[in-house]
Amino acid sequence: LAKTTQPISMDSYEGQEVNITCSHNNIATNDYITWYQQFPSQGPRFIIQGYKTKVTNEVASLFIPADRKSSTLSLPRVSLSDTAVYYCLVARNNDMRFGAGTRLTVKP
Amino acid sequence: GAVVSQHPSRVICKSGTSVKIECRSLDFQATTMFWYRQFPKQSLMLMATSNEGSKATYEQGVEKDKFLINHASLTLSTLTVTSAHPEDSSFYICSAIAGSQETQYFGPGTRLLVL
């Protein structure tokens, strides 16, 4: 199991860039790194997924160093609606256990 | 994109009754689905892995006779909470695997309240 470690919480202000880092020291060769966003009383929503280097989509970027032992989710210019819990998931052989996640609070 | 639905979105039942929750993959086939439970302010707790055509694999501490999982088709998995008690009240979420990178997509969740 590729256990993940994230900061429990983070605060930011509207318009700032937010970077959330996840540690996954025992990631396996075939593992992908996936980030999810969850609002209260909703299922997690897929944000971005990557294997190495950098991945970018319309909502976020994902930075993965060469050793892949960590990853950083970057949210550009956050708004109040980005207040949520963010989870990184490193899955192996369908072992889909989540870590504690990071509770991001965006302030006006 | 891959869409997963759940039904019902919320249910209230009396203690001792059974409740069935359905999880459907709407635009893809899923040989593997997952069931999670989430208590307030906590992370998702994996309950079981549901495999189409075979028995589910339960996480340690999850009673398989209480949480019955059936994955009879490639688009439907059901979770039945048998003889529900107030401590079973929780938010139940399912997910399904899609794509070559085995991305997990989640349903909207089902809020269960046992009185």
Side-chain angles (χ1 to χ4, degrees), chain A residues 35-47 85-87 89 98, chain B residues 2 4 6 36 38 43-44 91-95 104-109:
Chain A
W35 283 80
Y36 295 89
Q37 175 192 55
Q38 187 183 28
F39 297 111
S41 297
Q42 295 185 25
R45 182 178 75 99
F46 172 87
I47 301 175
V85 178
Y86 293 82
Y87 296 96
L89 180 67
F98 277 72
Chain B
V4 177
Q6 278 184 245
Y36 294 84
Q38 187 174 35
S43 182
L44 288 80
F91 191 54
Y92 292 86
I93 310 170
C94 72
S95 69
Q104 194 177 185
Y105 294 92
F106 288 84

Side-chain angles (χ1 to χ4, degrees), chain B residues 20-91:
Chain B
K20 180 185 285 188
I21 303 170
E22 293 185 347
C23 177
R24 294 182 184 273
S25 56
L26 296 186
D27 51 358
F28 65 102
Q29 295 183 330
T31 56
T32 304
M33 292 183 173
F34 302 90
W35 287 97
Y36 294 84
R37 181 167 52 181
Q38 187 174 35
F39 294 105
K41 303 290 186 181
Q42 294 186 21
S43 182
L44 288 80
M45 294 170 46
L46 180 64
M47 299 176 66
T49 301
S50 171
N51 301 298
E52 186 269 335
S54 64
K55 292 183 179 180
T57 303
Y58 290 82
E59 292 297 298
Q60 190 173 10
V62 177
E63 301 175 55
K64 63 180 180 180
D65 294 330
K66 180 170 183 62
F67 298 99
L68 301 179
I69 291 173
N70 184 278
H71 194 157
S73 79
L74 289 171
T75 58
L76 174 64
S77 175
T78 60
L79 168 69
T80 301
V81 183
T82 62
S83 187
H85 291 284
E87 57 265 30
D88 299 322
S89 299
S90 189
F91 191 54

